[in-house]
Amino acid sequence: MIPISVCIITKNEAEYLMKCLEALKPYPFEIVVTDTGSTDHSLEIARRYTEHVYEFSWIDDFSAARNFCVSHATHDIVLSLDTDEFLRPLDWDALQKALEEHPESLGAIELFSHFDVDGETRQQVVRLQRLFDRRHYHFQNPIHEVLVPTGPMEASSYDAPVSVDHVGYQGSPEKLRKKAERDIALIRGEIEADPQNPYLHFQLGQSYMLMRDHENALLWFRKAMDLQPLPGADYTLVLLCNYAGILLDNGQIEEAAKILSYRDSFADNKDFLCLSGRIRLCMGQPLKALPEFVQALSAPRYSLVNPHSPSYHIGLIYEMFGKRDIARTHYENCKDYPPAMEALKRLDAK
């Protein structure tokens, strides 16, 4: 068996910490917890689950805290988690096989982020590089830290059979604001040092999104777009969706249409195709929008959009053309998707 250490940094999140550690209990992980200054009972909870509990004086640097935690693990293979991330049921044998097949690569775990929008809980699915051999990689950057090689080797990645639920975007407005304000201060410092990095501008926009400050979020998303993010970057799709989504909500359709230049790079992604279709509809081009939603039906990738969104929009377009029977069929395919249920009521009322 390849032994694995799970390394967690925490501060004043006792309730989340217990749930995080409980999810790890069924598996033979070594658990290493580093506390960065809690005033609640986080340390007490951590010591119920592991003897490997350490304290680190916070220096406004997440990478420093993570590297400190990793240094206290007794195994070289590390899975890095946050307190607000809860491991989903795991196939231990599949994980062992993946580690054997990719001994020097970064494992990208599947992260299901849950958040509330207008009273509705939604989720976004992304992959983040969190599983690694500490002899080859270490954390870098004070915030939104990334794993980079420790030597001259070139980084490589694979999809690891690990999934977690992330609830850090949920909570009271006050809690989310405090978290965003902390992040904003750190990211601004990074941008001063690296002003041409679109990822940093994107993350600053994300922090304003967390505060529901869409005006400032759009400002920084626009700056990120001006720096021409690479289509293959992990964050680019989220940037495109959030940037264009705010613009569409504001009626700034012409600017939103700029993201269509990325279409070839995301032709297999349900999120992007639905966004492209929405833009076409807002431009008064339903016949160009329809193929986008049709293609989205079978697109294999998606992270945020409701999987029923393509059928709903196809129904909407057919309804626009007076094809009520076809529209009804597509709305009914959406099951209990709220916009489709409203559309069916509308058809019944005619």
Side-chain angles (χ1 to χ4, degrees):
M1 184 184 75
I2 300 174
I4 305 169
S5 296
V6 176
C7 292
I8 302 165
I9 62 172
T10 190
K11 181 180 179 180
N12 288 334
E13 292 190 288
E15 181 180 355
Y16 284 165
L17 181 61
M18 179 177 290
K19 188 171 182 180
C20 175
L21 297 175
E22 273 294 319
L24 299 172
K25 279 179 61 176
Y27 309 100
F29 292 117
E30 174 189 64
I31 299 174
V32 185
V33 177
T34 293
D35 188 275
T36 62
S38 291
T39 55
D40 62 5
H41 54 293
S42 292
L43 283 168
E44 176 187 338
I45 289 174
R47 289 179 178 128
R48 295 178 195 168
Y49 291 85
T50 178
E51 61 183 16
H52 303 287
V53 180
Y54 305 92
E55 296 182 65
F56 179 82
S57 297
W58 182 243
I59 56 173
D60 288 339
D61 190 327
F62 283 94
S63 285
R66 291 197 190 281
N67 289 329
F68 173 87
C69 188
V70 169
S71 73
H72 285 81
T74 60
H75 306 313
D76 289 321
I77 302 301
V78 171
L79 172 62
S80 179
L81 294 179
D82 286 334
T83 317
D84 54 15
E85 295 172 352
F86 313 136
L87 185 72
R88 289 186 169 192
L90 178 71
D91 184 335
W92 183 262
D93 291 337
L95 176 57
Q96 289 287 306
K97 183 179 179 181
L99 290 170
E100 291 174 1
E101 293 176 348
H102 307 277
E104 296 185 359
S105 296
L106 293 166
I109 71 170
E110 195 172 33
L111 188 80
F112 292 80
S113 290
H114 304 268
F115 56 97
D116 300 318
V117 178
D118 299 328
E120 178 187 355
T121 298
R122 300 182 185 177
Q123 72 176 18
Q124 181 179 30
V125 187
V126 297
R127 281 197 175 268
L128 297 177
Q129 295 172 347
R130 296 283 196 82
L131 183 65
F132 63 101
D133 187 325
R134 66 178 179 180
R135 293 169 296 185
H136 303 310
Y137 297 93
H138 69 283
F139 285 101
Q140 183 175 285
N141 296 338
I143 188 170
H144 300 301
E145 55 280 16
V146 295
L147 285 162
V148 298
T150 54
M153 67 178 287
E154 185 174 341
S156 58
S157 179
Y158 67 97
D159 289 348
V162 178
S163 299
V164 301
D165 286 304
H166 171 231
V167 298
Y169 296 146
Q170 294 182 303
S172 68
E174 180 182 0
K175 178 181 178 180
L176 295 177
R177 175 173 288 276
K178 285 182 178 179
K179 179 178 180 178
E181 288 175 344
R182 176 205 66 190
D183 291 353
I184 286 168
L186 293 174
I187 298 170
R188 284 186 179 275
E190 287 200 72
I191 288 177
E192 289 181 10
D194 189 7
Q196 299 303 308
N197 188 336
Y199 175 71
L200 298 177
H201 294 77
F202 158 73
Q203 287 292 358
L204 192 49
Q206 289 289 87
S207 293
Y208 281 112
M209 283 279 285
L210 196 62
M211 296 169 64
R212 307 295 191 264
D213 183 348
H214 288 186
E215 182 178 351
N216 275 308
L218 178 59
L219 171 68
W220 290 100
F221 288 151
R222 186 177 282 134
K223 289 178 182 291
M225 292 295 296
D226 289 342
L227 292 170
Q228 300 180 338
L230 296 174
D234 292 340
Y235 67 92
T236 300
L237 178 62
V238 179
L239 167 61
L240 297 176
C241 290
N242 287 346
Y243 166 70
I246 295 175
L247 289 170
L248 290 179
D249 289 342
N250 292 342
Q252 297 171 262
I253 301 165
E254 186 175 345
E255 184 178 350
K258 292 180 180 179
I259 66 101
L260 298 178
S261 63
Y262 284 83
R263 190 192 183 286
D264 289 346
S265 299
F266 296 104
D268 65 343
N269 188 280
K270 201 181 300 288
D271 298 70
F272 188 90
L273 291 168
C274 284
L275 178 60
S276 173
R278 286 180 57 209
I279 292 172
R280 296 293 189 184
L281 281 177
C282 290
M283 295 171 70
Q285 301 173 348
L287 291 177
K288 290 186 177 180
L290 183 58
E292 298 294 84
F293 293 119
V294 170
Q295 187 170 339
L297 285 174
S298 58
R301 296 180 179 274
Y302 73 96
S303 59
L304 179 59
V305 71
N306 188 294
H308 297 306
S309 182
S311 287
Y312 164 73
H313 282 94
I314 293 170
L316 188 65
I317 293 171
Y318 276 110
E319 185 181 357
M320 291 170 58
F321 290 132
K323 305 290 187 180
R324 295 176 57 189
D325 290 342
I326 300 176
R328 181 182 297 276
T329 297
H330 285 283
Y331 290 148
E332 290 174 346
N333 287 340
C334 297
K335 298 182 180 179
D336 58 353
Y337 183 47
M341 295 176 70
E342 288 298 316
L344 287 170
K345 291 179 183 178
R346 184 173 63 245
L347 288 181
D348 291 338
K350 289 182 179 180

